[in-house]
């Protein structure tokens, strides 16, 4: 399928509907290993619930891949975030500092424990939480009162930082951890989108008290739905496990010592995860190859800025994203999205920054202009692990062909002078 047919009027669908047949998808799972065999084994042996050897194996392989002592598998990444915040002791009315440019899960999890997010803008180079803005908030916007750090504007106690390693790229953690130490804040890393990435040579998810991963269908490694909390802290892991299994303290007599949650992953899904983890290195390599091919292929296209990698990072390039400069390219990111959809290429804008989200009203922020610009100009391109070079070249060719001719751009951006 190197040249999918343009979509017909009859095929044109409502926004959000599945793309028509023949479309190059944004990202689909890669399920060509032992997934079927391991899942079948669960069914054949009757080990289908959350008690089963694949859950333990999945926790072990993921924790090992990250380099953590413990993994606690959960039904999804949002549940893992919820548990992490509870175990960290974040209480109702507290504030947790997080990224504004992210999928909404971390902010929702903060609300589940009755706390409030404080949203920090993205930095313009790698689009991660801007640690300089974080420092500005902690040093100018907060004050220590009776031993507790308080947001001067809201009066709330600031308890934790929840940086999101977005789109496969790490946040600059060294200065962030330095701030966390100085202000005595817990750090919970949301590494859902960045399994396989490195920060200064270390696996992402090794800096904070714990890190959270997601195995949702569009993530690098998937169990359909699933998540995990990884940590080196024995007590943290034990308490997380307790809370995800209804806080059962006596398995025979069914005695529960507090309110718990039913957040454990099932053995069937963990089996899929074990099979997926056998290929995690190849998956990251594939994502990096795709990123390189886009970078090279789009290099000459005016107004298309590729995703960048910090010199201290090895990105997992989970969701390959470009910025579309409307003036230089000739159309904006949403017009390009529609034009590519007509050519059977499925793309997606970045998330609405959470400081603008109606669901997150009441959260504090100090203005996030960079995230707003990234949201306006960002467009994620097809980047499945299994994306073939021919299909990718076809996507690149469409983006190049849709660019305004150079003369037209020169005319529209040149300073107007009389007499020409
Ligand atoms: C995917 C994701 C999650 C978790 O999502 P689930 O669907 O609950 O597994 C959390 N945070 C971020 C940033 C994500 O992208």
């Amino acid at each position: 399928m190197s040249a999918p047919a343009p979509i017909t009027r009859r095929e044109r669908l409502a926004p959000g509907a599945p793309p028509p047949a023949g479309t190059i998808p944004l990202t689909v799972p890669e399920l060509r290993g032992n997934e079927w065999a391991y899942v079948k084994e669960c069914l054949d042996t009757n080990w289908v619930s959350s008690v089963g050897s694949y859950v333990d194996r999945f926790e072990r392989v993921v924790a090992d891949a990250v380099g953590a002592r413990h993994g606690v598998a959960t039904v999804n990444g949002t549940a893992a975030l919820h548990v992490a915040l509870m175990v960290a002791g974040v209480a109702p009315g507290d504030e947790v500092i997080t990224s504004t440019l992210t999928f909404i899960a971390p902010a929702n999890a903060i609300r589940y424990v009755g706390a409030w997010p404080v949203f920090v803008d993205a930095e313009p180079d790698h689009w991660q939480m801007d640690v300089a803005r974080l420092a500005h908030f902690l040093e100018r916007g907060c004050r220590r009162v009776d031993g507790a750090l308080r947001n001067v504007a809201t009066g709330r106690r600031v308890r934790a930082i929840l940086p999101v390693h977005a789109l496969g790229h790490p946040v600059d953690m060294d200065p962030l951890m330095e701030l966390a130490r100085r202000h005595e804040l817990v750090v919970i890393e949301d590494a859902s989108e960045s399994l396989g990435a490195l920060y200064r040579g270390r696996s992402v998810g090794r800096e904070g008290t714990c890190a959270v991963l997601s195995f949702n269908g569009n993530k690098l490694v998937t169990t359909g739905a699933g998540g995990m909390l990884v940590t080196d802290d024995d007590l943290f892991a034990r308490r997380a496990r307790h809370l995800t299994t209804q806080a059962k303290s006596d398995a025979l007599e069914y005695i529960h010592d507090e309110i718990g949650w039913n957040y454990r992953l099932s053995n069937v899904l963990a089996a899929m995860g074990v099979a997926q983890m056998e290929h995690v290195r190849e998956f990251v390599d594939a994502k990096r190859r795709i990123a390189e091919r886009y970078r090279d292929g789009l290099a000459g296209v005016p107004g298309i800025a590729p995703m960048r990698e910090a010199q201290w990072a090895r990105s997992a390039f989970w969701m390959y994203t470009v910025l579309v400069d409307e003036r230089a390219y000739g159309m904006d990111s949403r017009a390009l999205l529609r034009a590519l959809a007509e050519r059977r290429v499925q793309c997606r804008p970045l998330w609405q920054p959470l400081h603008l989200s109606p669901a997150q009203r009441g959260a504090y922020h100090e203005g996030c202009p960079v995230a707003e610009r990234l949201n306006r100009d960002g467009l994620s391109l097809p980047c499945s692990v299994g994306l073939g070079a021919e299909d990718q070249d076809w996507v690149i060719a469409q983006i190049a062909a849709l660019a305004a001719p150079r003369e037209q751009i020169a005319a529209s951006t040149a300073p107007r002078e009389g007499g020409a």
Side-chain angles (χ1 to χ4, degrees), residues 204-228:
V204 160
R206 299 295 298 139
E207 316 300 320
T209 297
C210 77
V212 163
L213 295 163
S214 166
F215 308 106
N216 179 40
N218 69 0
K219 295 303 192 317
L220 184 77
V221 160
T222 185
T223 57
M228 199 176 294

Side-chain angles (χ1 to χ4, degrees), residues 76-78 81 102-103 105-106 164 190 192-193 214-216 219 226:
N76 56 54
T78 310
L81 284 165
T102 168
F103 179 57
V164 180
D190 186 342
S192 297
E193 301 176 4
S214 166
F215 308 106
N216 179 40
K219 295 303 192 317

Side-chain angles (χ1 to χ4, degrees), residues 102-119:
T102 168
F103 179 57
I104 200 167
N108 280 346
I110 291 165
R111 299 296 292 130
Y112 297 167
V113 296
W116 291 93
V118 169
F119 294 119

Side-chain angles (χ1 to χ4, degrees), residues 60-99:
R60 197 62 263 146
V61 291
V62 172
D64 285 349
V66 175
R69 285 167 62 102
H70 307 284
V72 180
T74 55
V75 286
N76 56 54
T78 310
L81 284 165
H82 183 194
V83 168
L85 288 158
M86 286 191 283
V87 177
V90 176
D94 285 349
E95 283 186 337
V96 177
I97 307 168
T98 193
S99 315

Side-chain angles (χ1 to χ4, degrees), residues 168-371:
H169 195 287
V171 174
D172 192 1
M173 290 302 288
D174 281 354
L176 185 148
M177 291 306 298
E178 179 53 38
L179 287 165
R181 270 187 292 273
R182 192 176 328 145
H183 296 279
E184 297 171 25
L185 299 169
V186 184
V187 175
I188 297 167
E189 298 179 73
D190 186 342
S192 297
E193 301 176 4
S194 298
L195 176 63
L198 301 180
Y199 173 68
R200 297 192 184 278
R202 299 188 294 270
S203 288
V204 160
R206 299 295 298 139
E207 316 300 320
T209 297
C210 77
V212 163
L213 295 163
S214 166
F215 308 106
N216 179 40
N218 69 0
K219 295 303 192 317
L220 184 77
V221 160
T222 185
T223 57
M228 199 176 294
L229 186 156
V230 290
T231 181
D232 282 352
D233 186 318
D234 301 348
L235 277 177
F236 202 98
R238 195 180 319 154
R239 181 140 174 77
R241 199 176 297 280
H242 191 56
L243 288 178
T244 57
T245 49
Q246 304 279 30
K248 195 191 286 174
S249 52
D250 185 313
L252 182 66
E253 301 288 347
Y254 282 88
I255 295 167
H256 304 264
D257 55 17
E258 62 183 312
I259 302 293
W261 276 259
N262 179 13
Y263 274 175
R264 285 293 276 171
L265 188 68
S266 88
N267 202 48
V268 180
L269 297 186
M272 198 173 148
V274 170
Q276 286 270 289
M277 285 302 292
E278 290 170 356
H279 300 280
V280 63
R281 288 234 182 89
E282 289 156 52
F283 288 0
V284 176
D285 289 347
K287 289 283 192 185
R288 292 184 60 83
R289 254 195 324 273
I290 290 166
E292 205 171 304
R293 200 174 187 88
Y294 273 132
R295 190 198 60 204
D296 295 348
L298 295 170
V301 182
I304 300 290
M307 202 172 192
R308 295 206 303 224
E309 184 179 49
Q311 128 277 328
W312 39 259
R314 188 173 189 271
S315 176
F317 285 105
W318 167 64
M319 187 66 77
Y320 193 83
T321 304
V322 295
L323 298 183
V324 183
D325 176 341
E326 181 180 0
R327 280 223 314 187
Y329 184 71
M331 68 173 93
D332 69 14
S333 64
R334 303 310 193 268
L336 178 55
L337 179 144
R338 289 190 297 273
L340 288 170
E342 298 273 314
R343 288 158 178 78
R344 294 186 192 265
V345 175
Q346 187 188 29
C347 298
R348 193 175 80 180
L350 291 175
W351 320 271
Q352 178 186 46
L354 295 179
H355 69 284
L356 301 176
S357 171
Q360 299 295 333
R361 265 189 306 261
Y364 180 77
H365 67 90
E366 298 183 327
C368 306
V370 176

